[in-house]
Amino acid sequence: MKALSIRQPWAWLIMHGGKDIENRSWHTKFRVRFLVHAAKGMTSREWVAASDFCIAQGIHDTPFDMPSDDDLLRGGIIGSVELVDSLDTSDSPWYMGQRGFLLRDPKPLPFTPLKGRPGFFEVPDELITQ
């Protein structure tokens, strides 16, 4: 199954916070369910910026609506989501890039440690606990 590495807390927000757009600088023709890989790297500044963004957009009321930077799982698979389109524009409050992948139906999975890679990458089926 394919996976895409996404930095925290954005990966958590896809799984649990209603984030329906993954912003990218490139399009994809890929249109199936893929694994969400939470990237290993994340700074406190990135966590604060994401929290501030959510509050400014009216998506969350306080920074405590998502786990702290120390509590977010990183460096592995955290779930799967369906990619339904690749967009140039969107009315979603999550859209803020050059392009965006429209996502739906997130399904959290037990954490599976795994090294990430750029772009979509293949994950052996035996590594994923359903």
Side-chain angles (χ1 to χ4, degrees):
M1 187 172 202
K2 296 282 188 193
L4 183 64
S5 193
I6 301 169
R7 291 180 78 83
Q8 289 285 33
W10 305 110
W12 184 90
L13 287 163
I14 289 170
M15 291 292 99
H16 305 285
K19 185 174 188 279
D20 64 348
I21 297 283
E22 171 55 18
N23 295 284
R24 294 286 160 158
S25 61
W26 45 278
H27 278 300
T28 184
K29 293 183 186 223
F30 192 54
R31 301 286 187 278
V32 295
R33 179 165 292 278
F34 69 90
L35 298 168
V36 175
H37 175 272
K40 191 164 185 132
M42 182 192 69
T43 65
S44 294
R45 178 175 275 174
E46 288 172 316
W47 185 93
V48 169
S51 178
D52 289 348
F53 172 83
C54 291
I55 292 167
Q57 294 295 318
I59 296 164
H60 295 293
D61 295 327
T62 74
F64 304 108
D65 288 342
M66 63 185 184
S68 72
D69 56 347
D70 290 334
D71 291 333
L72 287 166
L73 296 171
R74 297 191 298 252
I77 303 299
I78 62 168
S80 70
V81 68
E82 188 179 351
L83 192 161
V84 296
D85 206 354
S86 187
L87 308 169
D88 287 320
T89 185
S90 173
D91 292 334
S92 171
W94 298 104
Y95 186 87
M96 62 180 122
Q98 298 170 324
R99 293 175 182 74
F101 299 162
L102 179 62
L103 309 175
R104 74 171 171 212
D105 193 27
K107 295 185 179 188
L109 291 169
F111 182 75
T112 303
L114 183 70
K115 185 175 180 179
R117 294 175 193 82
F120 286 102
F121 61 95
E122 197 65 39
V123 175
D125 290 340
E126 62 270 13
L127 291 182
I128 305 306
T129 306
Q130 300 292 332

